[in-house]
Amino acid sequence: MATKSVPPPNEAIDSDWPEAWYMNESEDTDQKALNRKEPNEAVSVSVLRALGISYWKLNADKYMDSYPLKAVPWDPSDAADPELAALRDDRGYSYADVITIHRDHLPNYDKMIKCFFEEHIHDAEEIRFIINGSGFFDLRDLNDKWIRIHVKKGDLMTLPEGIYHRFTCDEKDYIHAMRLFIGQPVWTPFNRPQEDHESRLKYIKAFLSKNESMKQNMTGEEPAVKKSKKEDTATEDPTLSPAAE
């Protein structure tokens, strides 16, 4: 049966966005914990928008059972949710896959979770739809501080090309997600530092330079230059390896 045609959904109103906060950046923190500062420092939607984040809230409960636990690739034309289908067509998402990050579905789970948590950029927009479960996207703010966003079922979020970020499951250790892409996907993370990478330079011009006044108003600090604990090399996304389930 064909999916009913509807207009593409608008981005969510501010009150519907997922909760976000500045992280406690202690070296010994558990990556899956909330890692809030004390007292908590909430991050506003305006700050997330200034970083280039876009967000939609979809009805995952109604259509959750129509998605496989894993399909690499998955034909986005099979979307049963008319709003997801409309958003797909409006934004030109021609590729999708569906993965489940859980000990029962992802071999070498603990190792893979550590890989996801390496700070990196991509050379294309990153689009994630959370079908079920929950986890954290961590993003660098305009002053290079970590912001943690708690994504849950029904959240569809896009991260702009070139933004420093990382991902982890939360303490529930389960997330069922769809990854969408325009054209042929290249799931290559470029671990920090990548200050001379074309995509990073594009992001700096589009967001960091444009929001210079906001950056100064937030903390008055100059952004620090961080280096990845690992070598400055790109590695293929491990969830697309034949061993990923």
Side-chain angles (χ1 to χ4, degrees):
M1 182 180 296
T3 301
K4 180 181 178 181
S5 178
V6 299
N10 295 322
E11 284 195 47
I13 60 175
D14 288 9
S15 59
D16 286 343
W17 278 57
E19 186 182 8
W21 58 88
Y22 280 104
M23 291 185 68
N24 174 1
E25 299 190 29
S26 300
E27 290 291 334
D28 58 350
T29 54
D30 177 356
Q31 71 182 60
K32 298 177 186 177
L34 294 174
N35 290 322
R36 299 180 188 270
K37 291 185 174 183
E38 294 184 5
N40 183 55
E41 292 185 24
V43 175
S44 69
V45 172
S46 63
V47 169
L48 298 180
R49 291 188 189 278
L51 294 173
I53 308 305
S54 295
Y55 172 78
W56 293 261
K57 187 68 176 180
L58 301 181
N59 187 347
D61 283 324
K62 184 174 181 179
Y63 301 101
M64 181 172 58
D65 292 339
S66 68
Y67 302 112
L69 287 175
K70 179 188 175 184
V72 182
W74 180 78
D75 188 347
S77 66
D78 290 340
D81 180 351
E83 287 196 319
L84 177 61
L87 192 64
R88 170 204 67 204
D89 294 342
D90 183 61
R91 296 179 66 87
Y93 299 146
S94 55
Y95 174 94
D97 61 32
V98 179
I99 60 171
T100 300
I101 302 175
H102 182 267
R103 294 184 187 279
D104 293 342
H105 300 284
L106 183 63
N108 301 313
Y109 174 81
D110 292 311
K111 179 181 178 181
M112 294 299 99
I113 285 295
K114 293 295 183 184
C115 289
F116 300 150
F117 204 58
E118 283 295 317
E119 183 175 3
H120 61 279
I121 66 171
H122 293 293
D123 58 3
E125 179 186 51
E126 181 166 333
I127 307 103
R128 297 291 183 269
F129 171 46
I130 311 304
I131 299 168
N132 200 1
S134 51
F136 299 118
F137 273 105
D138 297 340
L139 318 170
R140 291 288 186 184
D141 81 346
L142 300 176
N143 291 294
D144 217 43
K145 303 297 184 182
W146 278 122
I147 291 173
R148 172 151 282 194
I149 305 175
H150 201 183
V151 292
K152 300 178 181 179
K153 179 169 59 176
D155 293 344
L156 191 153
M157 191 168 68
T158 67
L159 281 62
E161 172 186 350
I163 189 172
Y164 281 125
H165 67 284
R166 62 190 182 189
F167 171 80
T168 184
C169 287
D170 58 20
E171 292 176 327
K172 295 179 181 178
D173 280 324
Y174 180 83
I175 193 162
H176 183 199
M178 180 184 297
R179 306 185 293 186
L180 297 121
F181 203 87
I182 299 173
Q184 187 64 30
V186 181
W187 304 110
T188 304
F190 298 93
N191 290 344
R192 192 168 186 172
Q194 293 292 337
E195 301 311 310
D196 295 326
H197 192 287
E198 180 181 359
S199 294
R200 182 60 185 171
L201 295 174
K202 184 186 298 185
Y203 179 78
I204 290 171
K205 181 178 180 180
F207 296 101
L208 300 191
S209 298
K210 183 175 69 175
N211 292 293
E212 189 70 25
S213 59
M214 178 182 287
K215 178 174 68 175
Q216 293 173 351
N217 290 336
M218 288 170 67
T219 66
E221 298 177 1
E222 291 296 323
V225 176
K226 303 281 186 178
K227 291 191 176 182
S228 171
K229 294 179 181 178
K230 293 192 175 182
E231 294 181 1
D232 176 18
T233 56
T235 56
E236 292 297 329
D237 188 329
T239 62
L240 293 184
S241 69
E245 296 184 356

